[in-house]
Amino acid sequence: MAKTAAQAGSGRVTVLPDARVSPRYAGLVTFGRYPRLEDVAPENRPVDWVIYGAPFDCGVTYRPGARFGPRAVRVESQYLKRYSIAHGVDVCAAMSLADGGDAPARPYSCEGSMKAQVEFARGLGDKTSRLLAIGGDHSIAYGNLRATWERLGGPARGLALLHFDSHLDTVDVVWGDKWGHASPFRRAIEDGIVDPRRMVSVGIKGPLNTPTDLEFARDHGVTLLTYDDIRRGGTGAIERFVRALGDAPAYVTFDIDVVDPAFAPGTGTPSVGGFTSAEALDLVRACRGVEVVGADVVEVLPDRDVSGITALLAAHVAFEVLCLDAARRTGVGRRVRRGAGRG
Ligand code: MN
Ligand code: MN
């Protein structure tokens, strides 16, 4: 049977449990009910995306607890369905997805944990698998960025970075430590993993410790789109940034605290006056057409959550990131980008 454009994808698929046999509330919990990595059938290898947990939160400057984030996000992801109306794509028909378990954590050491995560992520799945990490605090972004960059052969120019956050996360050192959650993008830029001129930080808001916090981003050519910029001007600026990237490999990092705590209370450094849940999904959808090669969704703190709404939103944000790649692989993303007229 000939495949339609919307079914083409990578040629591999994600086999989900039959919900008539094992309902969504039953069975062992994996992200999105995707198969465990070791259970993926040979015909669905190489796996296109491995989703894994990074249960580490010793890099926080304020309230801890995000180490329980991966488990909470997996639980809330049981009700993720496979077909996206917004993108017109069946993610599980377009790509082979799997849950790779959790990276090892070294709770007494930010640097030690980062190294253990990198080692784990390096060997995860197949050589061409893309990696989506569920945090954990934002320090875990560095390890996943490094592993993603290495898998692509360590491109000299570095990766483009689409960063959604209330905070800049480019502080040099906090309490003598270079590897905490305020510093991952400073380190990634220093190490040539991220190209700051192709990095955008979206949703920045709230009072800063000092105005000099903005200097690193500005001195290195990072594009800043504050919450107010988006509120006033819409997501067009994100779309233009993404269009300018062309086919450049890009990494998406989504700190759930970019969302207003009224919608995402379960986080450790909440910042009031932010996006709604619906707007959060729109932020990711504005990246349609981007060549997404890796991602993370971080800073979910279940003990401060209410009815699991933050973890549920994080699961859906992760799904939206997978949709970006599924849409691109099936050609849906390109059609949308070029405007109407191509069916
Ligand atoms: Mn952050
Ligand atoms: Mn943040």
Side-chain angles (χ1 to χ4, degrees):
M1 192 174 75
K3 287 179 172 177
T4 66
Q7 291 172 324
S10 70
R12 298 172 295 273
V13 301
T14 308
V15 179
L16 299 178
D18 184 344
R20 305 278 172 104
V21 176
S22 173
R24 290 178 179 277
Y25 47 82
L28 294 175
V29 171
T30 59
F31 182 87
R33 308 188 93 210
Y34 304 157
R36 297 188 314 161
L37 189 54
E38 53 268 44
D39 295 337
V40 175
E43 64 266 26
N44 290 319
R45 298 252 181 195
V47 170
D48 295 303
W49 282 87
V50 178
I51 297 94
Y52 73 97
F56 177 80
D57 66 4
C58 298
V60 299
T61 51
Y62 197 51
R63 181 172 282 122
R67 66 180 63 182
F68 295 103
R71 196 161 280 181
V73 173
R74 279 196 182 95
V75 167
E76 295 301 333
S77 74
Q78 300 307 289
Y79 198 58
L80 270 181
K81 296 175 183 175
R82 56 191 291 162
Y83 182 81
S84 164
I85 298 175
H87 292 274
V89 68
D90 180 337
V91 168
C92 293
M95 302 190 294
S96 173
L97 309 166
D99 189 320
D102 283 351
R106 302 279 179 270
Y108 291 169
S109 165
C110 290
E111 187 174 10
S113 205
M114 178 274 288
K115 286 179 173 169
Q117 182 196 350
V118 170
E119 190 65 31
F120 172 84
R122 254 183 208 137
L124 203 51
D126 304 292
K127 281 195 173 69
T128 56
S129 301
R130 298 177 179 190
L131 306 176
L132 194 165
I134 306 288
D137 72 47
H138 217 155
S139 69
I140 69 97
Y142 178 89
N144 201 50
L145 266 164
R146 171 165 279 282
T148 297
W149 177 75
E150 286 180 1
R151 276 166 184 253
L152 295 169
R157 197 175 165 190
L159 304 175
L161 185 66
L162 306 170
H163 170 217
F164 300 93
D165 204 328
S166 287
H167 310 98
L168 295 155
D169 292 358
T170 52
V171 180
D172 189 9
V173 175
V174 179
W175 298 315
D177 204 303
K178 299 170 64 173
W179 299 100
H181 79 158
S183 311
F185 308 118
R186 178 90 161 221
R187 297 289 93 81
I189 290 168
E190 285 172 355
D191 292 349
I193 294 168
V194 165
D195 173 6
R197 301 199 167 275
R198 292 188 299 176
M199 170 175 171
V200 61
S201 292
V202 179
I204 304 301
K205 66 175 185 297
L208 301 170
N209 284 313
T210 132
T212 59
D213 287 0
L214 291 163
E215 281 173 8
F216 181 85
R218 290 194 171 144
D219 291 350
H220 289 76
V222 175
T223 300
L224 297 182
L225 294 172
T226 65
Y227 171 76
D228 283 333
D229 291 335
I230 302 291
R231 185 169 60 89
R232 293 204 185 100
T235 55
I238 302 172
E239 289 161 15
R240 287 190 291 280
F241 187 91
V242 164
R243 212 172 297 132
L245 293 178
D247 291 327
Y251 184 99
V252 175
T253 183
F254 197 101
D255 183 332
I256 205 74
D257 73 26
V258 76
V259 179
D260 194 281
F263 294 87
T267 197
T269 44
S271 179
V272 299
F275 297 108
T276 65
S277 307
E279 288 166 346
L281 302 182
D282 281 343
L283 293 177
V284 183
R285 289 174 189 161
C287 300
R288 229 185 299 235
V290 76
E291 172 71 339
V292 56
V293 295
D296 60 67
V297 181
V298 297
E299 299 283 358
V300 172
L301 200 169
D303 286 346
R304 298 290 287 193
D305 207 358
V306 176
S307 300
I309 59 173
T310 312
L312 179 64
L313 177 59
H316 278 264
V317 167
F319 177 76
E320 288 295 328
V321 172
L322 296 173
C323 285
L324 293 176
D325 194 32
R328 189 177 161 98
R329 286 175 195 258
T330 55
V332 177
R334 288 186 177 279
R335 274 209 303 280
V336 170
R337 234 170 92 205
R338 286 175 190 167
R342 300 211 335 141

